[in-house]
Amino acid sequence: MTQAPESTTFDQSTVDRAQAIVARYPQARSALLPMLHLVQSVEGYVSQDGIRFCAGQLDLSEAEVSAVATFYTMYKRRPCGEHLVSVCTNTLCAALGGDEIYSTLKSHLGVGHEETAGEPGTPGSITLEHAECLAACDLGPVLQVNYEFYDNQTPDKALGLVKALQSGEKPAPTRGAPLTDFKQAELQLAGFFEGRDADLDGPSAAPETLRGAQIAKDRGWDAPKMPANAEFPALPEKK
């Protein structure tokens, strides 16, 4: 099913991309997650128009789309800045300084969780959020800018990074792809790289993450191999 654009926000190019996403899946409804990222690449958040757009493209109800869009924290319900800065404040990062980093950035920007310093979408605008575990405990405390990692942070380093973003710079992440803006990152999450395919080649693992595997390799350690005919214990009887 291909529907005409439902507003001037979502033009024919967006419809074509939406249908390209649908074509990846055996069932159209499975395309909802990347299509919500596509919406955010256009609007900088998921508006009610965006909900309607996805519902129309996928033959879903607006309630079904809203249920998904409000469940996942990556889908924003208010317009984001040019950059989304996510500070890990989960247990380990918090203990190592994540709470202090968040407090420093909150004070500098004058905003709180999921609030934006500056006019959303304009150059230098920053949306700040505290995030649950960013899966980089070996490099904590960490933060992300548009989901790219900046590892081993301190309050001063994080503040310098944010000030650079506000002035129009795009400091290189510790690992991963070169930094872009929030909307471009969302377009990539939807599966469209627009000439930035080389971004996929950025290193994703740090030496700290691979150290255990390297030590095991150097010392010839190996996990026991599964026997060819392993017998598994019987499952307990359901009562």
Side-chain angles (χ1 to χ4, degrees):
M1 177 183 67
T2 303
Q3 294 197 359
E6 294 156 16
S7 73
T8 56
T9 302
F10 303 106
D11 58 13
Q12 188 59 48
S13 173
T14 308
V15 173
D16 292 342
R17 284 174 173 157
Q19 289 307 305
I21 294 172
V22 171
R24 301 172 193 162
Y25 299 91
Q27 295 186 34
R29 67 184 298 124
S30 299
L32 178 55
L33 297 183
M35 195 174 292
L36 286 166
H37 285 297
L38 177 66
V39 164
Q40 288 199 140
S41 79
V42 176
E43 295 188 291
Y45 74 120
V46 178
S47 69
Q48 197 59 40
D49 276 348
I51 299 264
R52 281 191 288 270
F53 175 80
C54 292
Q57 295 298 311
L58 299 174
D59 197 23
L60 296 172
S61 69
E62 291 181 30
E64 289 174 302
V65 177
S66 293
V68 173
T70 56
F71 180 83
Y72 293 104
T73 59
M74 287 182 78
Y75 302 123
K76 308 305 182 187
R77 300 314 308 274
R78 290 184 289 184
C80 280
E82 180 186 21
H83 299 295
L84 172 66
V85 175
S86 311
V87 181
C88 183
T89 56
N90 211 335
T91 308
L92 182 57
C93 278
L96 292 174
D99 283 344
E100 187 179 355
I101 290 170
Y102 179 74
S103 178
T104 298
L105 297 185
K106 180 180 176 181
S107 177
H108 169 70
L109 295 170
V111 298
H113 176 58
E114 292 191 339
E115 294 179 348
T116 300
E119 184 67 25
T122 60
S125 55
I126 304 284
T127 297
L128 179 67
E129 67 175 2
H130 61 78
E132 290 303 317
C133 184
L134 295 179
C137 300
D138 46 348
L139 298 162
V142 300
L143 62 79
Q144 291 179 333
V145 180
N146 309 325
Y147 306 117
E148 299 296 344
F149 278 100
Y150 293 80
D151 302 319
N152 297 312
Q153 290 293 297
T154 66
D156 286 343
K157 286 169 65 175
L159 182 58
L161 170 61
V162 165
K163 287 181 176 179
L165 295 172
Q166 289 181 298
S167 66
E169 300 175 46
K170 292 182 178 177
T174 308
R175 52 200 164 91
L179 187 65
T180 181
D181 59 39
F182 177 70
K183 287 184 177 181
Q184 179 64 38
E186 287 298 304
L187 189 61
Q188 292 186 353
L189 287 170
F192 302 96
F193 285 82
E194 307 291 300
R196 295 180 59 101
D197 298 82
D199 288 2
L200 294 170
D201 300 328
S204 59
E208 293 90 337
T209 306
L210 301 176
R211 189 167 293 150
Q214 187 61 52
I215 291 173
K217 181 180 179 181
D218 293 343
R219 299 183 181 181
W221 296 345
D222 199 2
K225 291 182 170 54
M226 174 75 76
N229 298 308
E231 292 188 12
F232 292 94
L235 293 174
E237 183 180 347
K238 291 185 178 180
K239 297 181 180 180

